[in-house]
Amino acid sequence: MKFLFVVTGSYVNMYASAPLATAVRNAGHEVILATTNEPMMDAAREMGIPAISMMSETIRSFLPADPSDDEERDTGHGLARMAVQGLESLLEITAGWRPDVVVGSAVSYMAGLLATRLGVPYVRYVEYLRIPLAGIDSGAEEGLLPELRRMGLTGLPEPAMYIDVCPPSLRRTPAPPAQQRMRFLPKTPQRALEPWMFTRPKGRRRVLITSGTHFRMLTPDAMRHLVDQLVLTGAEVLIAAPKKTAEELGDQLGDVRIGWLPLDVVIPTCDLVVHHCGATTGMTMMSAGVPQLIVPAPNPHNRAIAEAVSGFGAAIVMLPEELAKEENPAEAIAAGCREILADPRYTERAQALGNEMAALPAPAEVVRELETLVG
């Protein structure tokens, strides 16, 4: 069988889609992954998945530069414009390679349009939790209304299967029809491993700090203070950072391991992670069953994920605007870290969440369900 994966967003969406696409290939099927911009091709090559870039513009060029108060609806309108343009590219791609199934990431609306045009099953893959789909779907449906009418549809195409990696305990809306739960498997960039990466330090706690590639939680001085406070507790400190940040901070932080780390390998060895709650980062922490201190990046999705995890009892959340009011923001974060390390309930709740995610069907099991969609 032939499976076309359509992934909209950034490289993190590519990483989230990779486990399922890889499982489909490992089951003996043909896979092509269509991305919405050229930079995502690097991530596809890293994952070893055959891929094609179908658009020259990046996703940001389709989103409103100055969104209104109804940001989700505006985002949906932008994604609708992307879907119309992307559909033409997808039709050219599939003219000579007709898929049996089209799998689209959560906001890849062109995937549903393509599957409808081709008359093949459409699968919607929601790769993270708490994506505000209701508002985005509404805006996309408005923007796509002329195209939908031409296809004889009154609304967005309904998926034959709705794959969702959200842990049941964190779901805030009723399960949609045709839902198929799936276990989230972390897929992150790798580097040559060293034994310390996959083994716990003897007699010490381990704390990982990561602020992502695009959002830095703390200034260098504040980071140094936080590290010093964590070291005073007896913890070993790791900092996951891109090369440029590692070079800026490396000489200032003393005996700290800093650099690009394979998070899926390192996180299970940690007792606490301090992070910004990017979608991939947050899901990786949850799947590893590690408690978290979250300083969420200033966007609704990151905050929604942070609220879900803290509401479950597996994290403490500190909002950037609240930290800005503190005389010493780094000390406030350090105090939160000490609380988590001293109270075993955070670890217990984090492990309960990780166990819940581990019990969901693995991608290989979901592939068998996908195969049934084609008679």
Side-chain angles (χ1 to χ4, degrees):
M1 293 168 56
K2 295 179 178 179
F3 287 77
L4 177 67
F5 282 72
V6 183
V7 179
T8 297
S10 67
Y11 61 89
V12 296
N13 301 86
M14 179 74 72
Y15 296 142
S17 300
L20 181 59
T22 300
V24 170
R25 290 193 78 201
N26 289 345
H29 303 293
E30 293 182 51
V31 170
I32 288 180
L33 192 151
T35 76
T36 50
N37 56 71
E38 186 63 32
M40 292 172 67
M41 293 297 294
D42 290 338
R45 284 189 284 269
E46 202 167 60
M47 300 296 106
I49 300 172
I52 185 170
S53 178
M54 58 179 160
M55 301 173 71
S56 57
E57 294 89 347
T58 66
I59 184 173
R60 297 192 184 281
S61 66
F62 289 89
L63 299 181
D66 185 21
S68 69
D69 292 339
D70 194 347
E71 186 173 352
E72 294 169 12
R73 180 171 168 272
D74 291 345
T75 297
H77 284 170
L79 290 167
R81 292 192 293 273
M82 172 183 279
V84 171
Q85 180 170 329
L87 178 60
E88 296 306 313
S89 297
L90 288 176
L91 287 170
E92 292 178 8
I93 292 168
T94 56
W97 191 89
R98 182 184 175 86
D100 298 295
V101 179
V102 177
V103 182
S105 58
V107 293
S108 295
Y109 296 102
M110 63 193 81
L113 299 180
L114 176 69
T116 301
R117 289 281 290 267
L118 298 180
V120 300
Y122 160 50
V123 175
R124 190 178 195 184
Y125 175 27
V126 182
E127 60 269 60
Y128 307 118
L129 61 88
R130 297 292 172 97
I131 302 175
L133 287 178
I136 297 175
D137 281 355
S138 177
E141 186 170 290
E142 289 179 10
L144 288 171
L145 196 56
E147 188 71 28
L148 296 173
R149 285 175 175 167
R150 281 193 290 271
M151 293 184 177
L153 300 174
T154 58
L156 296 174
E158 289 291 335
M161 183 184 294
Y162 184 101
I163 300 175
D164 191 357
V165 298
C166 180
S169 294
L170 301 189
R171 173 170 288 284
R172 63 181 175 184
T173 57
Q179 184 193 50
Q180 168 65 58
R181 294 196 181 280
M182 191 178 82
R183 178 183 178 184
F184 174 87
L185 292 181
K187 192 80 169 177
T188 61
Q190 296 297 314
R191 54 171 282 192
L193 295 183
E194 299 174 45
W196 63 264
M197 295 179 183
F198 50 83
T199 55
R200 286 180 175 271
K202 292 183 179 180
R204 300 180 71 186
R205 301 285 190 90
R206 173 176 278 181
V207 179
L208 171 68
I209 304 171
T210 173
S211 62
T213 304
H214 303 294
F215 172 69
R216 188 176 294 183
M217 294 181 295
L218 295 169
T219 65
D221 286 344
M223 181 69 79
R224 184 165 54 248
H225 180 85
L226 174 59
V227 169
D228 289 344
Q229 293 301 305
L230 291 172
V231 171
L232 286 175
T233 70
E236 177 190 51
V237 180
L238 312 179
I239 300 178
K243 183 178 179 180
K244 182 179 179 181
T245 303
E247 290 174 349
E248 291 175 1
L249 296 176
D251 295 336
Q252 306 177 35
L253 298 176
D255 187 21
V256 171
R257 298 185 190 274
I258 180 170
W260 189 270
L261 304 179
L263 294 182
D264 55 335
V265 175
V266 172
I267 288 171
T269 72
C270 296
D271 299 283
L272 168 64
V273 180
V274 182
H275 66 103
H276 70 301
C277 208
T280 299
T281 305
M283 293 294 289
T284 301
M285 311 304 173
M286 284 183 271
S287 67
V290 177
Q292 308 166 43
L293 190 145
I294 304 172
V295 182
N299 68 67
H301 187 205
N302 290 64
R303 295 192 176 199
I305 296 174
E307 290 168 4
V309 183
S310 63
F312 191 80
I316 289 176
V317 175
M318 295 185 171
L319 299 178
E321 61 268 26
E322 296 300 323
L323 285 173
K325 300 174 184 177
E326 297 282 345
E327 183 177 346
N328 189 338
E331 177 54 38
I333 294 175
C337 290
R338 289 192 290 266
E339 177 183 339
I340 292 174
L341 292 172
D343 190 340
R345 289 177 294 181
Y346 289 102
T347 298
E348 291 166 2
R349 295 301 288 164
Q351 291 176 346
L353 186 58
N355 291 338
E356 183 177 295
M357 295 175 71
L360 297 176
E365 298 174 69
V366 175
V367 172
R368 292 194 286 271
E369 299 300 321
L370 289 172
E371 292 167 340
T372 66
L373 296 178
V374 180

